[in-house]
């Protein structure tokens, strides 16, 4: 049985990461340190064999992946299902703001309640798992015996 090796890489740093602000699916660019981090991971993987490169369409993930792709003279395939969890009304807020303004929801989030869904279009952990698993399964089946 052939398997697919998947290198899962988190995006570089953004100003919102530094400020403990929830990004979710808000499209925030990498900061200077994040761009440096993206280049560092690209350099670290430069000698690895990659058969395809996939990333969320959000800039922080896409730009990180593009650094890796340049080192391999490849293109990045944008995959919306690989986006970060949608945090609904939490997006744009800091953890402190969430605790102060939405203490009950903050408790559900902190306790990682699988079926709890953030208000205003958020995703539960179960919904996130389903979305990402389906995307990963599909990509893996397209690259049996390869590294992506």
């Amino acid at each position: 049985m052939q398997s697919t090796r998947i290198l899962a890489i988190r995006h570089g740093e953004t100003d919102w990461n530094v400020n403990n602000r929830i990004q979710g699916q808000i499209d925030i660019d990498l900061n200077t340190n994040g761009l440096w981090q993206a280049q560092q991971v690209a350099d670290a993987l430069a000698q690895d064999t990659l058969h395809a490169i996939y990333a969320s369409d959000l800039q922080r993930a896409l730009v990180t992946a593009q650094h890796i792709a340049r080192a391999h003279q490849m293109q990045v395939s944008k995959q919306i299902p690989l986006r970060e969890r949608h945090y609904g009304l939490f997006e744009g807020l800091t953890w402190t703001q969430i605790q102060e303004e939405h203490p009950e929801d903050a408790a559900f989030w902190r306790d990682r309640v699988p079926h709890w869904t953030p208000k205003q279009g958020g995703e539960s952990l179960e919904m996130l798992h389903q979305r990402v698993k389906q995307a990963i399964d599909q990509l893996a089946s397209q690259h049996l015996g390869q590294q992506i």
Side-chain angles (χ1 to χ4, degrees), residues 38-65:
Q39 188 57 54
Q40 294 305 300
V41 74
D43 292 347
L45 295 175
Q47 301 306 312
D48 284 26
T49 299
L50 300 177
H51 296 92
I53 300 173
Y54 297 96
S56 158
D57 63 327
L58 299 177
Q59 288 300 301
R60 58 189 180 268
L62 185 58
V63 170
T64 300

Side-chain angles (χ1 to χ4, degrees), residues 10-17 20-30 56-62 80 82-94 97-98 119-123 131:
R10 188 173 192 277
H11 62 78
E13 182 182 82
T14 71
D15 287 339
W16 282 28
N17 293 136
N20 295 313
R21 191 169 299 280
I22 305 304
Q23 297 171 122
Q25 293 191 8
I26 296 176
D27 203 3
I28 306 300
D29 291 329
L30 297 176
S56 158
D57 63 327
L58 299 177
Q59 288 300 301
R60 58 189 180 268
L62 185 58
I80 292 172
L82 295 179
R83 280 185 174 186
E84 188 169 340
R85 181 180 179 184
H86 195 304
Y87 286 102
L89 66 88
F90 287 1
E91 292 189 5
L93 301 178
T94 64
Q97 289 172 314
I98 293 167
K119 295 176 183 88
Q120 298 180 3
E123 289 180 292
R131 172 171 57 87

Side-chain angles (χ1 to χ4, degrees), residues 74-85:
M74 297 173 72
Q75 296 294 314
V76 177
S77 176
K78 296 180 203 177
Q79 300 289 314
I80 292 172
L82 295 179
R83 280 185 174 186
E84 188 169 340
R85 181 180 179 184

Side-chain angles (χ1 to χ4, degrees), residues 9-10 22 33 36 46 52 55 67 96 99-101 113 125 131-133 139-140 144:
I9 298 166
R10 188 173 192 277
I22 305 304
N33 190 48
W36 177 83
H67 276 75
T96 301
Q99 291 182 100
E100 290 172 357
E101 297 171 21
V113 176
L125 287 172
R131 172 171 57 87
V132 174
K133 183 183 182 314
L139 294 175
L144 295 176

